Amino acid sequence: MREVVLINVSGEDRAGLTAALTEILARYNIDILDIGQAVIHNTLSLGFLVEVPQSLNACPVFKELLFKAHELGVQLRFTPIEAEEYEAWVTHQGRARYIITLLGRQITARHVADVSAEIARQGLEIDSINRLSGRISLQDAERRENASVEFSVRGTPTDLGEMRSRFMDITVESGLDIGLQEDNVYRRSRRLIAFDMDSTLIQAEVIDELAIRAGVGEQVAAITESAMRGEIDFSESFRQRLALLEGLDVSVLESIAESLPITEGADRLMQNLKRFGFKIAIISGGFTYFGEYLQQRWGVDYVHANQLEVVDGKVTGRSSGTIIDGAKKAELLQMIAEKEGISLQQCVAVGDGANDLPMLNTAGLGIAFHAKPIVKAGAKQSISTLGLDGVLYFLGVRDREAMV
């Protein structure tokens, strides 16, 4: 009868260790059924699941492995695996998998304890835990800007909705963002990303800035806030706000564009998205003038926004063409994806307002960014603790893989 054995190796990591041990296995024609390795602070944990041929006496193999381990200064442990246990493990390979991403300014033991407790409560098994953010310096505390850890888990949650709800509670209680994505081929092949502009790519609502210059700032700001909270239809609020801008000199637009407050992490995110070959779109309920300004800054592929009507150098208080509301945003995302031959499951959408929800829920990965509670509750994922480059962690990008 064939023998299946789990070989655990632990100790100080060193170059050539894996090669030395597998060379012994190779000389005895032993097959490796599974292999896994992790190194934390130069401390190694390595595992081989091996099949010993029926005709082979395993004792000389294990003896030689032990001698080599002693020579290398590591410890070995051998665990026989029963045939039934092995076959049960094989049948688990088709089970659902999820990626749980933790994001914050720092990740504490309490964060990990709360998240892992919910994972266990839902009957899921943790396959691996990986740090996506860079190593932390104890001497340069000011550089602790981002922290992210990714859990790969296996199984079917007892109640997926309840799990999402519990993660939302942890977010509120501890100031941690938690993403939950199905681990499938689409998650690993995102190709198109669409952004809202105002309060997402830039830390301002441009229509409010225009209103301040027109002397109607308070009136417009109140309507904007109501629209972002979902209390008033976006298209109607847009018409009301725009009408208040009638008579504003067009020169004001250039002045505002040149001083737009860019969101933390936006430049870094855009540089990396371009490097990774993403198609990038701005789909905004704001104005094309400012979207095109950002397009030049970042090399954005598509800009869809509202066109301010200008006559004789003055804003008329009206827009040209269809108003881009929530439904139109989702429609435009679908249109771009179809044009590029990209599945909606490969699309990412990022926004902050209630009018972004249709777009966020159309994309395979929708992220509410520093959004109102109603938007966070309706979106698939959210970021409230980090800058816009936190999106990279949801894409599985490690700091060492990204441009600084």
Side-chain angles (χ1 to χ4, degrees):
M1 182 177 179
R2 294 178 178 179
E3 188 176 3
V4 176
V5 179
L6 176 61
I7 305 173
N8 291 108
V9 186
S10 59
E12 183 179 350
D13 188 29
R14 61 180 63 197
L17 188 151
T18 302
L21 296 176
T22 52
E23 174 61 31
I24 295 171
L25 296 174
R27 281 196 275 106
Y28 286 92
N29 295 318
I30 290 178
D31 289 335
I32 296 176
L33 302 173
D34 196 15
I35 184 171
Q37 175 176 309
V39 178
I40 298 180
H41 197 64
N42 210 38
T43 299
L44 170 76
S45 178
L46 170 64
F48 302 104
L49 190 63
V50 302
E51 179 188 15
V52 181
Q54 194 170 5
S55 58
L56 181 67
N57 180 357
C59 290
V61 187
F62 296 160
K63 183 177 180 180
E64 192 169 341
L65 285 170
L66 286 168
F67 276 123
K68 180 57 68 173
H70 179 73
E71 179 184 318
L72 294 169
V74 294
Q75 292 76 50
L76 253 63
R77 187 174 73 252
F78 302 101
T79 306
I81 305 297
E82 296 295 331
E84 295 81 5
E85 182 183 352
Y86 174 77
E87 290 304 321
W89 174 77
V90 171
T91 61
H92 287 172
Q93 64 186 333
R95 295 173 70 187
R97 292 177 181 271
Y98 293 88
I99 294 295
I100 300 171
T101 311
L102 281 57
L103 301 85
R105 293 302 179 181
Q106 66 175 36
I107 294 175
T108 68
R110 172 49 53 202
H111 293 148
V112 175
D114 289 346
V115 171
S116 56
E118 180 60 22
I119 291 171
R121 198 172 71 85
Q122 291 290 335
L124 302 175
E125 299 175 17
I126 299 174
D127 278 341
S128 63
I129 304 175
N130 296 298
R131 174 175 47 81
L132 301 182
S133 50
R135 293 177 178 175
I136 299 171
S137 169
L138 298 179
Q139 296 180 341
D140 190 1
E142 292 183 0
R143 295 202 62 181
R144 299 187 192 186
E145 298 173 350
N146 295 345
S148 181
V149 171
E150 181 182 89
F151 289 70
S152 175
V153 303
R154 175 166 34 92
T156 301
T158 304
D159 188 328
L160 183 59
E162 184 180 308
M163 187 177 185
R164 291 186 184 278
S165 178
R166 176 56 187 146
F167 283 165
M168 183 67 73
D169 290 342
I170 295 172
T171 294
V172 173
E173 293 164 5
S174 63
L176 179 75
D177 292 320
I178 306 171
L180 174 62
Q181 303 177 62
E182 186 177 349
D183 189 9
N184 55 31
V185 66
Y186 297 116
R187 189 194 73 85
R188 299 186 294 275
S189 59
R190 310 292 189 196
R191 295 176 53 200
L192 167 65
I193 184 165
F195 294 95
D196 174 46
M197 181 170 61
D198 295 20
S199 296
T200 300
L201 290 173
I202 57 175
Q203 288 303 287
E205 293 288 330
V206 168
I207 197 167
D208 291 351
E209 299 301 315
L210 292 170
I212 291 171
R213 304 295 181 91
V216 291
E218 290 186 7
Q219 299 98 301
V220 167
I223 300 172
T224 298
E225 278 297 306
S226 181
M228 290 300 100
R229 290 192 299 267
E231 298 170 352
I232 182 173
D233 173 73
F234 177 81
S235 295
E236 178 56 32
S237 74
F238 181 76
R239 293 188 187 95
Q240 291 179 19
R241 290 176 290 172
L242 191 54
L244 292 170
L245 301 181
E246 182 180 0
L248 184 66
D249 195 279
V250 73
S251 64
V252 172
L253 275 65
E254 181 178 358
S255 172
I256 291 175
E258 290 176 348
S259 59
L260 288 175
I262 303 300
T263 298
E264 175 196 351
D267 285 325
R268 180 171 181 261
L269 174 60
M270 290 299 187
Q271 289 172 8
N272 283 287
L273 291 174
K274 295 296 289 185
R275 190 164 65 94
F276 298 147
F278 272 75
K279 291 294 182 178
I280 303 173
I282 293 175
I283 303 178
S284 172
F287 301 111
T288 53
Y289 184 94
F290 304 97
E292 289 168 357
Y293 180 88
L294 296 176
Q295 182 178 34
Q296 293 300 313
R297 179 184 181 119
W298 290 317
V300 171
D301 299 285
Y302 296 92
V303 173
H304 292 280
N306 295 300
Q307 181 70 50
L308 268 175
E309 184 180 83
V310 177
V311 175
D312 297 329
K314 302 289 185 182
V315 173
T316 66
R318 298 183 297 273
S319 66
S320 305
T322 304
I323 293 176
I324 297 182
D325 58 8
K328 189 64 176 179
K329 285 189 173 191
E331 180 185 326
L332 286 166
L333 176 62
Q334 292 174 331
M335 182 192 75
I336 296 170
E338 184 176 344
K339 179 179 178 180
E340 293 290 343
I342 297 172
S343 164
L344 285 171
Q345 287 300 311
Q346 295 175 277
C347 297
V348 184
V350 186
D352 73 294
N355 63 316
D356 292 312
L357 276 174
M359 179 173 73
L360 299 187
N361 289 319
T362 296
L365 174 60
I367 303 172
F369 181 73
H370 288 259
K372 300 292 190 297
I374 188 174
V375 183
K376 290 176 64 174
K380 298 168 186 172
Q381 318 293 342
S382 66
I383 295 177
S384 298
T385 59
L386 300 182
L388 207 52
D389 53 344
V391 170
L392 292 171
Y393 296 134
F394 278 117
L395 300 177
V397 177
R398 301 170 187 268
D399 279 356
R400 66 170 182 264
E401 299 165 336
M403 294 176 64
V404 176

